[in-house]
Amino acid sequence: MSKEAVLILGARSDIGFAVARRFAQAGHAIQLALRDAQGFEDHRRDLELRSNVGVTLHEFDVLDSAGIEPFLDSLPELPIVVVCAVGTMNEQGRSEQEPDLASLDMRSNFEGPALVLGAIANRFETRGRGTIVGISSVAGDRGRATNYIYGAAKAGFSAFLSGLRNRLTGTGVHVITVKPGFVATRMTDGLDLPEKLTAAPSELGEAIFSAVQKGRNVIYVRRVWWLVMTIICAIPEAIFKKLRI
Amino acid sequence: MKLSGWGRYPQVECTLHHPRDAHALRDLVTQAGAEAPVIARGNGRAYGDAALAPTGTVSMCAMDQMIHFDAQTGVLQAQAGVLLADVISAFLPRGWFPMVTPGTRFVTLGGMAAADVHGKNHHIDGSFRSCVVWLDLMRPDGSTVRVTPDKTPDLFDRTLGGMGLTGVILQLCIRLTRVETGWIHQHTIDAPNLDAAMAAFEDNPDATYSVAWIDCLAKGAALGRSLVMLGEHATLAQLPANLRRRPLQLPPKPRKAIRMTFPMCALNRWSVKAFNALYYWKSRRKTNSFVDWESYFYPLDAVLGWNRIYGRKGFVQFQCVLPLDRSADGMRALLSEISAAGQGSFLAVLKRFGAQDSAFSFPTEGYTLALDFPATPACLALLTRLEPIVADHGGRFYLAKDAVLSAQRLRETDGRAKGFADTRLAQGEAGVFSSAQSARLKL
């Protein structure tokens, strides 16, 4: 028998799938939500084989706000944990010129995730328990020239999660904000990332699993990013605006 | 980016690719050519430069799906990037264990096949190839061939142990072995010298697992002082009652990780000597014991990132095998040279191989010795003194561990090398699949 289900929004992302593997390993049933869910059958089978738990696929588009309630109604059970790993990152330079691309990043990193987690929060609150995990980014801690459109959306998402946590404290529902730094994923393929600052997706799986067990509020992965971002956020704006970091 | 093998020596500037499926991989292979050959890389556990190609190192880690498992026969079909560690965590709870395992479980199945790894049961079960039912191999033209021991025996023989030089392994079908528990019943024989250690192997040919930890700093009458460890999968009935309740579960243990790189001086002859003495006396006290699978097969895996204790220059592994009739003399000569140099190796391992005849795999009947040394000038010099001893005794070297061998030495010690290289040329593999190692060894 599998333990209560964990819902992964954006299961096709490397981080989302790594989180799914970690919870499956702990014996939880897994609900994988993503676009073109049928094409993900091989991954579903992989999870089942590895962990001997029930794994289901669910069609889900984070930009379809009208579809949120029907999507939640279609789940075999209301999950005990939801992890939102949805996100896109278009090239900053192109997003500055093409409003549609910028809009896509803003909607898929902030608006969409916030709306669906908000809807899930209401159901969790009614039930009186559950954990909501939002994967934001260190990019949201301070806007930088190289990725501020993505960063602004993540900043919005971080603020949303913070407020949601504040609202739900005392209801039995907990909210965790995850702020990854560099992660070796499809999003960063081909970039030469510094080894010590770059996490493997499986490290995120482990960190998120552990954060859910311990009821943490905000986690940085790797942890050194807390220090990095504290320093970056402490730089006075007059200086910061001249930096290229 | 700078890449290295597990020994962190040498470090080579490589273009690294992460194909997510066979299509992306085919593009990489078909675009490769004599100018920009590629080599597949698993989890980077080969010690030297076997999985480094400056022009195109192809990480298989993203192709890591398990595809099918037959719970009746224990046959698993999985992509090449699946880690052995994941196979164990998935199937040991269901009573299945890898038939052949190397000394770390953080290897990919594809890497295990390419190096045709061996374990402590080589004398009984042979190398990894024994459990491979078939594998899918991407050839130089981008086509995929199902390689089996029966239908494509030559390609199978060359691919297992071929160090990725015949193509890229996409997926494999392997047999697991049934176990009742996750525990090993271990019997330790205290061997005061090399003769006693070899006698312990020869007296126990039926032990499923056998390996000796050897103190390579011991000299004189104690030369080759060893602890020979024999092991059997414990049956449920053999287990003490306190372990029998959850026989397939690992007892909880702290996991240590080494994230910093030690200063080069941390490992010296005194610290190694102290470690060896401690280990020897600690293990000697327990002649019969139940050891959990992780501690038994993967003692070093408990310390993640242990390769960093050798300092920033990294370390080199040395593993050779000597034919049976020359083993006693040859091992004595090797150990004398090592102990005289006083260059301690942390964990030195001696093992008796069973018979094996293959196109390019490492194992052959005889004794194998594995050592690791920090990559210091003194140790590299010692290696150049050990190589001729191996050559003189008809031995050969393990390419999964090698970082320093010359092409000439390889041809001198391994009569199969020339044929392997010639076939690679004839088959069109040489221009497409090439590693820093194969370039160095002119394979």
Side-chain angles (χ1 to χ4, degrees):
Chain A
M1 253 322 266
S2 306
K3 295 182 195 165
E4 283 181 286
V6 173
L7 168 63
I8 311 288
L9 301 169
R12 187 171 274 113
S13 82
D14 290 333
I15 295 176
F17 193 65
V19 174
R21 275 193 176 160
R22 186 59 189 87
F23 278 95
Q25 193 193 332
H28 288 276
I30 303 290
Q31 301 166 346
L32 301 173
L34 65 165
R35 274 183 303 171
D36 307 322
Q38 278 188 343
F40 213 54
E41 171 59 25
D42 50 350
H43 288 74
R44 190 196 67 78
R45 196 180 45 201
D46 169 78
L47 272 185
E48 271 192 353
L49 273 175
R50 282 173 180 251
S51 306
N52 235 351
V53 295
V55 183
T56 48
L57 292 174
H58 306 278
E59 193 64 34
F60 169 71
D61 182 351
V62 77
L63 299 179
D64 175 18
S65 52
I68 292 175
E69 292 298 332
F71 159 71
L72 293 177
D73 290 336
S74 77
L75 296 176
E77 59 175 306
L78 187 61
I80 188 68
V81 176
V82 56
V83 180
C84 180
V86 172
T88 58
M89 184 167 66
N90 286 298
E91 202 188 311
Q92 168 74 23
R94 283 187 63 202
S95 294
E96 288 167 15
Q97 305 304 324
E98 298 174 42
D100 286 349
L101 276 187
S103 166
L104 182 68
D105 269 1
M106 293 177 192
R107 293 187 62 211
S108 58
N109 288 306
F110 171 51
E111 183 191 301
L115 292 178
V116 66
L117 291 188
I120 291 172
N122 294 343
R123 295 192 183 206
F124 279 10
E125 189 180 17
T126 307
R127 183 178 61 184
R129 62 196 185 94
T131 301
I132 294 168
V133 182
I135 300 181
S136 185
S137 169
V138 297
D141 283 9
R142 190 162 194 180
R144 293 180 299 118
T146 49
N147 66 354
Y148 66 85
I149 291 175
Y150 172 80
K154 287 296 194 183
F157 190 42
S158 291
F160 176 86
L161 293 168
S162 165
L164 194 63
R165 175 163 45 245
N166 190 200
R167 168 191 143 196
L168 294 172
T169 295
T171 65
V173 181
H174 183 58
V175 180
I176 300 173
T177 309
V178 181
K179 294 184 178 178
F182 295 139
V183 187
T185 65
R186 240 169 308 200
M187 222 186 237
T188 58
D189 266 0
L191 301 180
D192 192 358
L193 301 175
E195 191 191 346
K196 285 191 163 50
L197 292 177
T198 306
S202 58
E203 284 180 65
L204 270 115
E206 192 61 48
I208 289 170
F209 179 76
S210 151
V212 169
Q213 305 301 304
K214 293 176 186 159
R216 301 278 301 275
N217 296 314
V218 181
I219 62 166
Y220 285 81
V221 188
R222 293 178 168 174
R223 286 185 196 174
V224 61
W225 280 97
W226 173 82
L227 182 64
V228 173
M229 296 319 294
T230 303
I231 294 169
I232 288 181
C233 290
I235 301 171
E237 191 65 23
I239 298 172
F240 187 78
K241 70 177 183 184
K242 296 177 193 157
L243 298 179
R244 287 292 170 265
I245 51 175
Chain B
M1 65 192 300
K2 276 249 193 284
L3 276 183
S4 68
W6 185 239
R8 298 162 62 85
Y9 174 91
Q11 310 212 353
V12 178
E13 191 65 37
C14 296
T15 305
L16 185 63
H17 303 284
H18 302 271
R20 312 244 159 205
D21 52 42
H23 289 288
L25 182 66
R26 185 177 308 125
D27 289 346
L28 288 170
V29 168
T30 50
Q31 284 157 23
E35 314 290 83
V38 294
I39 195 74
R41 177 181 172 94
N43 204 32
R45 249 47 176 198
Y47 286 79
D49 49 1
L52 305 176
T55 49
T57 305
V58 181
S59 169
M60 296 299 288
C61 288
M63 295 176 64
D64 68 339
Q65 284 173 18
M66 297 190 188
I67 299 164
H68 185 258
F69 181 69
D70 184 330
Q72 299 302 312
T73 58
V75 171
L76 170 70
Q77 181 187 348
Q79 286 184 320
V82 167
L83 288 181
L84 182 63
D86 292 349
V87 173
I88 296 171
S89 28
F91 298 108
L92 183 57
R94 292 172 237 180
W96 297 93
F97 197 75
M99 220 176 101
V100 172
T101 170
T104 171
R105 65 191 189 283
F106 299 119
V107 289
T108 60
L109 297 181
M112 290 171 78
D116 196 12
V117 296
H118 56 269
K120 299 172 180 182
N121 56 343
H122 182 274
H123 59 291
I124 302 272
D125 292 315
S127 62
F128 187 64
R129 62 172 60 208
S130 324
C131 71
V132 176
V133 183
W134 53 257
L135 56 83
D136 280 353
L137 186 71
M138 186 168 287
R139 299 287 287 151
D141 61 356
S143 64
T144 301
V145 183
R146 180 147 300 184
V147 181
T148 76
D150 301 330
K151 293 194 180 124
T152 48
D154 292 343
L155 193 52
F156 185 87
D157 197 13
R158 288 195 307 121
T159 298
L160 273 293
M163 304 307 289
L165 298 169
T166 61
V168 180
I169 300 167
L170 293 169
Q171 55 169 297
L172 315 78
C173 192
I174 62 170
R175 266 186 296 270
L176 305 181
T177 190
R178 260 255 178 248
V179 293
E180 286 184 26
T181 76
W183 294 81
I184 300 293
H185 186 225
Q186 177 175 277
H187 175 64
T188 304
I189 301 169
D190 179 3
N193 55 42
L194 182 64
D195 287 339
M198 292 177 69
F201 280 111
E202 300 304 329
D203 292 346
N204 293 282
D206 300 331
T208 304
Y209 299 106
S210 62
V211 70
W213 167 84
I214 185 164
D215 177 357
C216 53
L217 288 179
K219 291 185 185 181
L223 186 79
R225 173 174 77 164
S226 303
L227 294 169
V228 183
M229 303 172 197
L230 309 178
E232 301 292 338
H233 287 286
T235 61
L236 197 55
Q238 287 171 335
L239 274 194
N242 59 329
L243 303 179
R244 213 177 296 161
R245 277 184 33 246
R246 307 178 81 187
L248 294 165
Q249 302 261 339
L250 202 61
K253 287 188 267 200
R255 190 171 294 283
K256 310 169 194 77
I258 295 178
R259 287 214 193 272
M260 63 174 248
T261 305
F262 277 42
M264 293 292 289
C265 59
L267 223 66
N268 53 46
R269 72 173 71 182
W270 296 283
S271 66
V272 169
K273 207 166 193 166
F275 172 85
N276 281 358
L278 207 71
Y279 190 84
Y280 185 74
W281 290 107
K282 186 181 154 208
S283 310
R284 222 168 70 122
R285 279 184 288 133
K286 300 184 273 184
T287 50
N288 270 298
S289 53
F290 288 98
V291 183
D292 68 79
W293 61 269
E294 190 185 72
S295 309
Y296 185 80
F297 291 103
Y298 315 109
L300 288 177
D301 284 356
V303 187
L304 299 173
W306 63 266
N307 55 341
R308 289 167 186 269
I309 64 172
Y310 286 91
R312 67 189 161 77
K313 286 191 182 153
F315 67 105
V316 284
Q317 268 264 346
F318 170 89
Q319 185 169 358
C320 65
V321 57
L322 303 180
L324 200 51
D325 56 338
R326 311 287 302 277
S327 284
D329 289 347
M331 287 299 166
R332 186 162 294 111
L334 287 169
L335 290 168
S336 305
E337 189 67 47
I338 295 162
S339 65
Q343 297 293 345
S345 165
F346 222 153
L347 276 183
V349 169
L350 181 72
K351 156 98 198 120
R352 167 80 149 88
F353 275 155
Q356 179 165 340
D357 184 23
S358 41
F360 206 48
S361 293
F362 167 64
T364 185
E365 183 154 36
Y367 279 82
T368 179
L369 178 69
L371 314 155
D372 41 46
F373 298 106
T376 58
C379 288
L380 294 173
L382 172 61
L383 289 184
T384 62
R385 297 201 297 279
L386 297 180
E387 282 179 13
I389 300 178
V390 175
D392 290 347
H393 291 84
R396 65 183 183 223
F397 301 93
Y398 189 12
L399 296 188
K401 306 263 177 105
D402 157 63
V404 297
L405 215 58
S406 69
Q408 189 193 349
R409 181 74 76 195
L410 177 71
R411 274 165 183 65
E412 181 192 343
T413 51
D414 196 334
R416 307 167 303 173
K418 185 175 182 305
F420 185 78
D422 290 347
T423 312
R424 256 167 56 74
L425 263 182
Q427 298 281 328
E429 296 154 3
V432 178
F433 306 112
S434 168
S435 60
Q437 182 180 55
S438 75
R440 171 167 52 81
L441 296 175
K442 300 198 168 60
L443 285 173

